[in-house]
Amino acid sequence: MKVGVYPGSFDPITNGHLDIIARSVKVFDKVVVLVASNPDKKYLFTKEERVNMIKDAVKEYGNVEVDSTDGLTVEYAKRIGSKHLIRGLRAVTDFEYEFQLAAANEFIDKDIDMVFFMSHSDTSFISSSTINELYSSGVDISSLVPLSVINGYKNKK
Ligand code: COA
């Protein structure tokens, strides 16, 4: 079985991430969405909140699982028998960061490959922090995120 691991901060998950998931499930038998940590970031939602919002957003898929890790994504992938990490590319500005991350992952394990999907143009401007900013400014973001995220914000109040 070909398993792809889609790691990210997902603070919160957006329709941009869901677009990547929708396309990944056509390529992999199973996709594991992995909530991982970027030590440079301060998160709005706890890891558990992020996992639960994603679980609700992907419940239509029979072949998508959601998990979290405090360790390296490569180690997680190895542990579950996956050799592929999935990432999305929104713009050329993402490339440098992804290139660096791919090199670090390759240094950890040469057997792991990164698989990239290009974001659709209607979601390529979205990032989680943009969504957080729009929401806190009172902008209607319901067309940019799943319902579980709207509820997540409401529960934060
Ligand atoms: N649609 C919308 N937004 C997208 C997107 C898409 N398709 N793809 C990325 N983004 C956004 C995210 O929302 C996020 O926005 P933000 O910066 O405003 O929060 C930004 O792009 C980048 O996020 P993400 O892809 O989640 O990367 P990250 O830097 O937050 O996290 C990890 C990267 C968690 C995967 C990485 O740090 C990691 O693997 N950590 C575990 C430790 C490890 O293995 N490190 C690697 C070796 S050192």
Side-chain angles (χ1 to χ4, degrees):
M1 192 192 324
K2 200 164 274 182
V3 182
V5 175
Y6 181 25
S9 290
F10 303 109
D11 187 45
I13 187 160
T14 70
N15 288 352
H17 298 121
L18 288 171
D19 165 46
I20 302 297
I21 293 167
R23 286 189 283 144
S24 305
V25 295
K26 294 179 190 161
V27 175
F28 293 96
D29 301 310
K30 184 167 102 177
V31 171
V32 179
V33 183
L34 184 67
V35 177
S37 294
N38 177 342
D40 296 334
K41 282 187 172 173
K42 211 171 164 284
Y43 294 117
L44 174 66
F45 292 100
T46 66
K47 194 170 277 181
E48 196 187 12
E49 286 168 335
R50 284 178 275 153
V51 166
N52 287 336
M53 288 187 288
I54 301 169
K55 277 187 177 163
D56 190 79
V58 300
K59 60 178 187 261
E60 70 187 86
Y61 299 106
N63 58 343
V64 178
E65 288 176 11
V66 187
D67 202 356
S68 65
T69 182
D70 290 321
L72 298 171
T73 54
V74 165
E75 297 295 348
Y76 178 92
K78 261 165 66 173
R79 206 161 53 239
I80 65 159
S82 168
K83 288 181 184 295
H84 296 97
L85 296 183
I86 299 162
R87 299 283 291 167
L89 282 177
R90 291 164 299 167
V92 73
T93 43
D94 279 344
F95 180 79
E96 209 170 328
Y97 178 64
E98 293 303 330
F99 192 71
Q100 206 176 4
L101 196 60
N105 286 335
E106 190 190 352
F107 178 76
I108 302 166
D109 187 339
K110 286 209 166 8
D111 278 348
I112 300 273
D113 264 316
M114 313 279 289
V115 177
F116 296 95
F117 289 92
M118 288 283 181
S119 291
H120 280 307
S121 53
D122 54 350
T123 57
S124 60
F125 73 98
I126 310 176
S127 73
S128 299
S129 48
T130 309
I131 295 287
N132 288 335
E133 200 178 333
L134 292 174
Y135 181 81
S136 67
S137 307
V139 177
D140 179 7
I141 50 156
S142 53
S143 62
L144 303 176
V145 293
L147 184 60
S148 59
V149 170
I150 302 289
N151 292 332
Y153 283 119
K154 286 181 184 158
N155 293 336
K156 275 262 161 217
K157 279 188 182 163

